[in-house]
């Protein structure tokens, strides 16, 4: 999707045989996902959803027709659900949406050396992480205050501190083969 839309949920596996699906909502209150107008999937198709239990919903297309079979529900698995940015509340000066982080320049904290750009923001349930696309490839970094102490969306950058616990295999650094700590 484009920057005019914000990812608000993802369709999960089918629930039963009558077209219900599990939906992972990124809203503060999961049920609020059903209240947003203009919900569209990653193919640009409009949807409306109604909750039928804890994390279980029925999807309705633009004509109001519900998905009513397990097979149709299976085709929706991993479909991302977006809302228009204009339908979301304005953020305060020190707030931002995760979607605003994608594309920001990533700088090393304290030196301001540019190390890459934010390629994606992930949340698999154990905490949010930033995927950083740099010259040496991609790195996943926990999105915590310790690892990302400065977020300046207005200026277009974030500052990072790599934690000491990250171990990088020796083969990731050409010319250092054999120069590692032996345990």
């Amino acid at each position: 999707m484009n920057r005019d839309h914000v990812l608000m949920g993802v369709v999960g596996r089918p629930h039963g045989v009558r077209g219900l699906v599990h939906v992972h909502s990124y809203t503060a209150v999961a049920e609020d996902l059903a209240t947003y107008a203009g919900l569209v999937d990653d193919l640009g198709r409009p949807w409306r959803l109604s909750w039928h239990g804890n994390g279980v919903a029925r999807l309705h297309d633009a004509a109001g027709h519900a998905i009513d079979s397990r097979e149709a529900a299976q085709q929706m698995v991993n479909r991302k659900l977006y809302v228009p940015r204009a339908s979301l509340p304005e953020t305060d000066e020190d707030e931002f949406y995760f979607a605003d982080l994608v594309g920001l320049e990533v700088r090393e904290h304290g030196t301001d050396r540019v190390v890459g750009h934010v390629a994606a923001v992930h949340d698999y349930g154990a905490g949010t992480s930033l995927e950083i696309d740099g010259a040496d490839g991609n790195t996943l970094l926990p999105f915590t205050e310790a690892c990302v102490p400065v977020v300046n969306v207005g200026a277009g950058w974030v500052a990072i501190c790599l934690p000491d616990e990250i171990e990088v295999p020796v083969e990731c650094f050409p010319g250092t083969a054999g120069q590692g700590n032996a345990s």
Side-chain angles (χ1 to χ4, degrees), residues 14-177:
H15 179 80
V17 296
R18 294 191 173 94
L20 295 175
V21 291
H22 289 268
V23 175
H24 181 77
S25 174
Y26 297 138
T27 59
V29 177
E31 293 77 19
D32 287 350
L33 183 59
T35 67
Y36 288 102
L39 193 65
V40 295
D41 66 15
D42 38 6
L43 300 176
R45 296 186 306 191
W47 295 96
R48 181 179 55 81
L49 67 86
S50 57
W51 292 105
H52 287 260
N54 190 17
V56 175
R58 179 169 310 282
L59 291 168
H60 304 264
D61 66 15
H65 300 115
I67 290 179
D68 60 1
S69 71
R70 183 175 184 86
E71 292 75 22
Q74 183 64 42
Q75 292 178 2
M76 294 297 295
V77 172
N78 293 326
R79 188 73 47 91
K80 293 179 171 93
L81 301 172
Y82 298 85
V83 297
R85 181 178 292 276
S87 68
L88 298 172
E90 287 293 321
T91 58
D92 287 335
E93 187 176 318
D94 60 342
E95 293 180 324
F96 51 86
Y97 292 109
F98 285 155
D100 297 334
L101 301 176
V102 177
L104 294 185
E105 186 176 83
V106 177
R107 300 177 181 177
E108 186 177 281
H109 187 61
T111 68
D112 286 335
R113 181 177 67 92
V114 176
V115 296
H117 289 86
V118 177
V121 180
H122 301 286
D123 187 349
Y124 299 111
T128 307
S129 60
L130 297 183
E131 180 177 341
I132 300 166
D133 184 19
D136 297 327
N138 286 13
T139 301
L140 281 179
L141 187 66
F143 188 53
T144 62
E145 191 172 345
C147 292
V148 188
V150 181
V151 176
N152 192 334
V153 173
W157 58 272
V158 298
I160 64 165
C161 293
L162 292 177
D164 294 335
E165 293 81 27
I166 290 181
E167 292 184 20
V168 180
V170 172
E171 58 270 10
C172 291
F173 295 97
T176 61

